[in-house]
Amino acid sequence: QKEVEQNSGPLSVPEGAIASLNCTYSDRVSQSFFWYRQYSGKSPELIMSIYSNGDKEDGRFTAQLNKASQYVSLLIRDSQPSDSATYLCAVEGGSYIPTFGRGTSLIVHP
Amino acid sequence: DADVTQTPRNRITKTGKRIMLECSQTKGHDRMYWYRQDPGLGLQLIYYSFDVKDINKGEISDGYSVSRQAQAKFSLSLESAIPNQTALYFCATSDIADQETQYFGPGTRLLVL
């Protein structure tokens, strides 16, 4: 069974700090990796996608992928209170069916 | 207008009742999905459809059924609702041209008494 593991948190960081969110996955043939942000009571929305080893940057967000170690991470620089949400990691292995982690709750306090 | 819509947004029903949740999309995507989300449990896949003639069970399909009426419409039915089906339900779409990013509807909050 494909598994995607995330620390449920909450991860609490001060405003302006770097928030680091981590995700590990079990299926070695996984090809596509996604980070979704979900505000309380709202639907998930895509933050970042990454498909090859290394870093991918988009504004304050950086996704990091290490297929050999089977982990993917999301760094949020200059964290803002508006970044407070649950972050879902999703992994897809060519079947077009993603497996979602349970999410990490992030709290950015002023 | 939203690309993926769900109706109703909130629903309260009683045990044993049959209810239908509807999803419509204007994104032109072939792939559609139904998920449920319970607090602390992430998203669990109920059913998915890759085109109008394709219906597949997900990891938690028992007690649910679906209908793909058109490319743009995918409905989820609870044949005889039970209290442990109380959850937040999301419809989503994806497309290979968009590298399989999932686009979610706003969700339906269902309470079964």
Side-chain angles (χ1 to χ4, degrees), chain A residues 23 35 38 46 49 60-61 64 79 83 91 94 98 102 108:
Chain A
C23 171
W35 283 101
Q38 185 177 23
L46 182 72
S49 58
R60 296 187 296 112
F61 300 93
Q64 299 175 318
S79 295
D83 294 326
V91 176
R102 296 186 177 191
V108 181

PDB file of all heavy atoms in Angstrom, chain A residues 23 35 38 46 49 60-61 64 79 83 91 94 98 102 108:
ATOM      1  N   CYS A  23       7.921  15.498   4.132  1.00  0.00           N
ATOM      2  CA  CYS A  23       7.025  14.438   3.679  1.00  0.00           C
ATOM      3  C   CYS A  23       7.887  13.271   3.204  1.00  0.00           C
ATOM      4  O   CYS A  23       8.860  13.484   2.466  1.00  0.00           O
ATOM      5  CB  CYS A  23       6.152  14.990   2.548  1.00  0.00           C
ATOM      6  SG  CYS A  23       5.144  13.796   1.666  1.00  0.00           S
ATOM      7  N   TRP A  35       2.588  19.892  -3.379  1.00  0.00           N
ATOM      8  CA  TRP A  35       2.240  20.478  -2.097  1.00  0.00           C
ATOM      9  C   TRP A  35       0.984  21.322  -2.287  1.00  0.00           C
ATOM     10  O   TRP A  35       0.939  22.198  -3.152  1.00  0.00           O
ATOM     11  CB  TRP A  35       3.369  21.358  -1.568  1.00  0.00           C
ATOM     12  CG  TRP A  35       4.502  20.584  -0.982  1.00  0.00           C
ATOM     13  CD1 TRP A  35       5.705  20.288  -1.566  1.00  0.00           C
ATOM     14  CD2 TRP A  35       4.556  20.014   0.331  1.00  0.00           C
ATOM     15  NE1 TRP A  35       6.487  19.561  -0.712  1.00  0.00           N
ATOM     16  CE2 TRP A  35       5.806  19.376   0.465  1.00  0.00           C
ATOM     17  CE3 TRP A  35       3.663  19.970   1.408  1.00  0.00           C
ATOM     18  CZ2 TRP A  35       6.198  18.720   1.623  1.00  0.00           C
ATOM     19  CZ3 TRP A  35       4.049  19.308   2.564  1.00  0.00           C
ATOM     20  CH2 TRP A  35       5.306  18.691   2.668  1.00  0.00           C
ATOM     21  N   GLN A  38      -4.237  24.143   2.462  1.00  0.00           N
ATOM     22  CA  GLN A  38      -5.660  24.095   2.772  1.00  0.00           C
ATOM     23  C   GLN A  38      -5.944  24.935   4.009  1.00  0.00           C
ATOM     24  O   GLN A  38      -5.500  24.605   5.106  1.00  0.00           O
ATOM     25  CB  GLN A  38      -6.126  22.651   2.993  1.00  0.00           C
ATOM     26  CG  GLN A  38      -7.620  22.530   3.191  1.00  0.00           C
ATOM     27  CD  GLN A  38      -8.105  21.101   3.345  1.00  0.00           C
ATOM     28  OE1 GLN A  38      -7.345  20.205   3.725  1.00  0.00           O
ATOM     29  NE2 GLN A  38      -9.367  20.858   3.027  1.00  0.00           N
ATOM     30  N   LEU A  46      -3.174  24.117  -5.029  1.00  0.00           N
ATOM     31  CA  LEU A  46      -1.787  23.779  -5.320  1.00  0.00           C
ATOM     32  C   LEU A  46      -0.850  24.934  -4.982  1.00  0.00           C
ATOM     33  O   LEU A  46      -1.106  26.083  -5.338  1.00  0.00           O
ATOM     34  CB  LEU A  46      -1.629  23.419  -6.797  1.00  0.00           C
ATOM     35  CG  LEU A  46      -0.222  23.001  -7.206  1.00  0.00           C
ATOM     36  CD1 LEU A  46       0.097  21.616  -6.646  1.00  0.00           C
ATOM     37  CD2 LEU A  46      -0.071  23.021  -8.722  1.00  0.00           C
ATOM     38  N   SER A  49       4.559  22.045  -7.408  1.00  0.00           N
ATOM     39  CA  SER A  49       4.733  20.695  -7.912  1.00  0.00           C
ATOM     40  C   SER A  49       6.206  20.524  -8.273  1.00  0.00           C
ATOM     41  O   SER A  49       6.875  21.487  -8.645  1.00  0.00           O
ATOM     42  CB  SER A  49       3.848  20.436  -9.131  1.00  0.00           C
ATOM     43  OG  SER A  49       4.137  21.363 -10.158  1.00  0.00           O
ATOM     44  N   ARG A  60       8.348  32.852  -2.394  1.00  0.00           N
ATOM     45  CA  ARG A  60       8.830  32.509  -1.047  1.00  0.00           C
ATOM     46  C   ARG A  60       8.869  31.003  -0.798  1.00  0.00           C
ATOM     47  O   ARG A  60       9.295  30.557   0.262  1.00  0.00           O
ATOM     48  CB  ARG A  60       7.927  33.166  -0.005  1.00  0.00           C
ATOM     49  CG  ARG A  60       7.958  34.689  -0.017  1.00  0.00           C
ATOM     50  CD  ARG A  60       7.156  35.282   1.157  1.00  0.00           C
ATOM     51  NE  ARG A  60       5.742  34.965   1.093  1.00  0.00           N
ATOM     52  CZ  ARG A  60       5.100  34.171   1.949  1.00  0.00           C
ATOM     53  NH1 ARG A  60       5.765  33.600   2.951  1.00  0.00           N
ATOM     54  NH2 ARG A  60       3.799  33.970   1.827  1.00  0.00           N
ATOM     55  N   PHE A  61       8.407  30.230  -1.753  1.00  0.00           N
ATOM     56  CA  PHE A  61       8.302  28.775  -1.587  1.00  0.00           C
ATOM     57  C   PHE A  61       9.411  28.050  -2.347  1.00  0.00           C
ATOM     58  O   PHE A  61       9.722  28.393  -3.482  1.00  0.00           O
ATOM     59  CB  PHE A  61       6.942  28.281  -2.084  1.00  0.00           C
ATOM     60  CG  PHE A  61       5.768  28.874  -1.361  1.00  0.00           C
ATOM     61  CD1 PHE A  61       5.132  30.000  -1.839  1.00  0.00           C
ATOM     62  CD2 PHE A  61       5.297  28.302  -0.182  1.00  0.00           C
ATOM     63  CE1 PHE A  61       4.048  30.552  -1.171  1.00  0.00           C
ATOM     64  CE2 PHE A  61       4.218  28.835   0.492  1.00  0.00           C
ATOM     65  CZ  PHE A  61       3.589  29.964  -0.004  1.00  0.00           C
ATOM     66  N   GLN A  64      11.776  20.785  -2.353  1.00  0.00           N
ATOM     67  CA  GLN A  64      13.004  20.004  -2.475  1.00  0.00           C
ATOM     68  C   GLN A  64      12.634  18.534  -2.600  1.00  0.00           C
ATOM     69  O   GLN A  64      11.821  18.036  -1.821  1.00  0.00           O
ATOM     70  CB  GLN A  64      13.899  20.219  -1.247  1.00  0.00           C
ATOM     71  CG  GLN A  64      14.329  21.658  -1.044  1.00  0.00           C
ATOM     72  CD  GLN A  64      15.107  21.852   0.244  1.00  0.00           C
ATOM     73  OE1 GLN A  64      14.758  21.298   1.283  1.00  0.00           O
ATOM     74  NE2 GLN A  64      16.170  22.649   0.183  1.00  0.00           N
ATOM     75  N   SER A  79       7.985  33.720   6.545  1.00  0.00           N
ATOM     76  CA  SER A  79       6.623  33.252   6.846  1.00  0.00           C
ATOM     77  C   SER A  79       5.732  34.392   7.328  1.00  0.00           C
ATOM     78  O   SER A  79       6.155  35.248   8.116  1.00  0.00           O
ATOM     79  CB  SER A  79       6.679  32.158   7.911  1.00  0.00           C
ATOM     80  OG  SER A  79       7.341  31.011   7.429  1.00  0.00           O
ATOM     81  N   ASP A  83       0.149  32.541   5.994  1.00  0.00           N
ATOM     82  CA  ASP A  83       0.601  31.202   5.617  1.00  0.00           C
ATOM     83  C   ASP A  83       0.075  30.135   6.574  1.00  0.00           C
ATOM     84  O   ASP A  83       0.238  28.936   6.312  1.00  0.00           O
ATOM     85  CB  ASP A  83       2.129  31.134   5.607  1.00  0.00           C
ATOM     86  CG  ASP A  83       2.760  32.003   4.534  1.00  0.00           C
ATOM     87  OD1 ASP A  83       2.164  32.138   3.446  1.00  0.00           O
ATOM     88  OD2 ASP A  83       3.839  32.576   4.793  1.00  0.00           O
ATOM     89  N   VAL A  91       1.587  12.489  -3.634  1.00  0.00           N
ATOM     90  CA  VAL A  91       2.565  11.771  -4.449  1.00  0.00           C
ATOM     91  C   VAL A  91       1.816  10.946  -5.482  1.00  0.00           C
ATOM     92  O   VAL A  91       0.814  10.290  -5.151  1.00  0.00           O
ATOM     93  CB  VAL A  91       3.432  10.868  -3.550  1.00  0.00           C
ATOM     94  CG1 VAL A  91       4.380  10.032  -4.379  1.00  0.00           C
ATOM     95  CG2 VAL A  91       4.191  11.706  -2.527  1.00  0.00           C
ATOM     96  N   GLY A  94       2.288   7.594 -11.653  1.00  0.00           N
ATOM     97  CA  GLY A  94       2.020   7.208 -13.033  1.00  0.00           C
ATOM     98  C   GLY A  94       0.636   6.636 -13.258  1.00  0.00           C
ATOM     99  O   GLY A  94       0.254   6.342 -14.392  1.00  0.00           O
ATOM    100  N   PRO A  98      -3.333  10.359  -7.139  1.00  0.00           N
ATOM    101  CA  PRO A  98      -2.401  10.791  -6.101  1.00  0.00           C
ATOM    102  C   PRO A  98      -2.733  10.169  -4.755  1.00  0.00           C
ATOM    103  O   PRO A  98      -3.891   9.864  -4.473  1.00  0.00           O
ATOM    104  CB  PRO A  98      -2.609  12.303  -6.066  1.00  0.00           C
ATOM    105  CG  PRO A  98      -4.029  12.490  -6.514  1.00  0.00           C
ATOM    106  CD  PRO A  98      -4.303  11.395  -7.501  1.00  0.00           C
ATOM    107  N   ARG A 102      -1.587  13.139   5.494  1.00  0.00           N
ATOM    108  CA  ARG A 102      -2.633  13.677   6.365  1.00  0.00           C
ATOM    109  C   ARG A 102      -2.486  15.171   6.606  1.00  0.00           C
ATOM    110  O   ARG A 102      -3.380  15.803   7.168  1.00  0.00           O
ATOM    111  CB  ARG A 102      -2.644  12.924   7.687  1.00  0.00           C
ATOM    112  CG  ARG A 102      -3.011  11.463   7.543  1.00  0.00           C
ATOM    113  CD  ARG A 102      -3.163  10.787   8.878  1.00  0.00           C
ATOM    114  NE  ARG A 102      -3.592   9.400   8.725  1.00  0.00           N
ATOM    115  CZ  ARG A 102      -4.014   8.631   9.718  1.00  0.00           C
ATOM    116  NH1 ARG A 102      -4.057   9.105  10.946  1.00  0.00           N
ATOM    117  NH2 ARG A 102      -4.382   7.388   9.478  1.00  0.00           N
ATOM    118  N   VAL A 108       1.814  30.467  11.994  1.00  0.00           N
ATOM    119  CA  VAL A 108       2.786  31.551  11.976  1.00  0.00           C
ATOM    120  C   VAL A 108       2.276  32.636  12.919  1.00  0.00           C
ATOM    121  O   VAL A 108       1.231  33.246  12.671  1.00  0.00           O
ATOM    122  CB  VAL A 108       2.972  32.116  10.559  1.00  0.00           C
ATOM    123  CG1 VAL A 108       4.024  33.228  10.564  1.00  0.00           C
ATOM    124  CG2 VAL A 108       3.359  31.010   9.582  1.00  0.00           C
TER     125      VAL A 108
END
